[in-house]
Amino acid sequence: MTILEVQNLNKHFGGIKAINNCSFSIEKNSITGLIGPNGAGKTTMFNILSGLLTPDSGSIYYQENDITNLNTHERTKLGFGRSFQSIRIFPELTTIENLILAFPENNDNLWQAFSKFQTKQKSLHKKALELLTSVNLEEKANLKGYELSYGQKKLLEILRVEANNADLVLLDEPTAGINPTLIQNIKIQIKNLQKAGKTIFIVEHNMPFIMNLCEQIIVMDQGKEIAMGTPKEIQENPQVLVAYLGKKRQTHA
């Protein structure tokens, strides 16, 4: 079953075609990767999907509903969640406060998120601690956001998306700049999201990570999808080789 469908999207910035008649679909409860050389249009596509940018033309369907003109907040209410390449946690809040703030119960009443006297907030505190424990961050619960390492902040961003109970999770460069141990934690967390029924769509430059994790991969180049398939199919696709290496694969007799 298709959860997200992109049809003939276009986005121009002046004379530059950032997205050029791009189309693809994402299957529900799948882990799908989006790859391509620098400047291929991957981040622009993610910004359009999450409502930060409006396409010049084309359509986006989420669970068969046209969401092309919905804003970010409206898409979040429908079940979109996103992490960013540039970290966007609250640096002056503690790790656990960052998580508590992400729960849907606090979306409309932010002041309630830090009340120690309400039963609901005690319950959310427990849920947040369980999430931190699942990735071995429970000892960092009371550290300020700015005190976490770069990799821990990236992991916290993914936990915040999970806390928000998103059905479709967009992850933008989740492994960039972090150590192998935390990369393994992120991989486990993504798998846990899938087991919980979520759909994950990842932009990533770490090819071993994406090839070992994803069931389907979409390749973009010059604003357009040029290939879709399994990791094995993508690795053997000559058009993908041309996009990344700028030349055709040499064959030998």
Side-chain angles (χ1 to χ4, degrees):
M1 177 183 174
T2 299
I3 189 171
L4 181 73
E5 186 170 1
V6 169
Q7 295 182 355
N8 308 115
L9 277 193
N10 289 281
K11 182 66 180 179
H12 297 71
F13 297 104
I16 299 173
K17 289 184 177 180
I19 302 296
N20 183 17
N21 199 36
C22 189
S23 300
F24 58 81
S25 61
I26 304 293
E27 292 301 302
K28 186 174 177 62
N29 199 213
S30 66
I31 302 176
T32 301
L34 179 62
I35 66 172
N38 290 333
K42 303 181 299 295
T43 297
T44 301
M45 176 59 71
F46 256 39
N47 287 338
I48 291 173
L49 293 179
S50 55
L52 295 174
L53 290 174
T54 303
D56 297 328
S57 61
S59 302
I60 305 168
Y61 291 90
Y62 176 66
Q63 302 195 99
E64 300 183 348
N65 297 308
D66 190 342
I67 63 164
T68 310
N69 296 312
L70 297 186
N71 61 36
T72 300
H73 184 63
E74 291 168 325
R75 295 183 196 201
T76 300
K77 284 191 170 183
L78 287 176
F80 273 67
R82 178 182 176 180
S83 73
F84 288 83
Q85 185 176 356
S86 55
I87 295 168
R88 298 194 178 190
I89 65 170
F90 297 98
E92 294 297 332
L93 299 183
T94 66
T95 304
I96 201 161
E97 286 170 346
N98 265 281
L99 266 186
I100 290 172
L101 196 60
F103 285 115
E105 293 92 330
N106 289 318
N107 284 351
D108 296 320
N109 293 288
L110 297 184
W111 67 271
Q112 292 183 358
F114 310 113
S115 171
K116 297 179 180 178
F117 305 103
Q118 296 188 39
T119 303
K120 182 178 73 172
Q121 296 309 315
K122 289 180 181 179
S123 172
L124 294 184
H125 188 280
K126 181 181 178 182
K127 285 171 62 177
L129 192 57
E130 288 172 352
L131 280 174
L132 291 174
T133 302
S134 72
V135 292
N136 301 314
L137 282 183
E138 68 275 15
E139 293 183 358
K140 311 294 183 183
N142 295 315
L143 290 183
K144 298 286 189 181
Y146 68 82
E147 295 179 290
L148 299 176
S149 71
Y150 181 78
Q152 290 165 349
K153 290 174 184 174
K154 296 275 279 190
L155 195 51
L156 178 58
E157 273 220 327
I158 295 174
L159 289 179
R160 280 172 49 80
V161 175
E162 183 174 353
N164 200 36
N165 201 30
D167 291 317
L168 175 63
V169 178
L170 308 180
L171 300 179
D172 194 351
E173 299 278 0
T175 73
I178 65 176
N179 67 57
T181 300
L182 283 176
I183 287 176
Q184 186 61 26
N185 282 345
I186 286 174
K187 184 177 180 179
I188 291 169
Q189 201 61 24
I190 291 171
K191 285 287 191 181
N192 287 341
L193 285 170
Q194 185 184 36
K195 288 176 185 176
K198 312 302 183 183
T199 304
I200 301 95
F201 192 25
I202 310 171
V203 166
E204 185 56 73
H205 282 99
N206 184 333
M207 288 299 104
F209 178 82
I210 211 83
M211 292 295 171
N212 289 325
L213 179 65
C214 295
E215 297 142 358
Q216 174 176 269
I217 295 173
I218 299 164
V219 187
M220 288 184 67
D221 188 32
Q222 299 180 3
K224 184 175 178 62
E225 85 291 344
I226 62 168
M228 288 180 280
T230 65
K232 186 175 187 298
E233 290 169 340
I234 293 302
Q235 290 177 68
E236 295 176 351
N237 187 306
Q239 198 172 358
V240 175
L241 238 108
V242 171
Y244 271 97
L245 302 179
K247 60 183 179 180
K248 295 182 179 178
R249 188 195 327 217
Q250 305 234 338
T251 56
H252 301 279

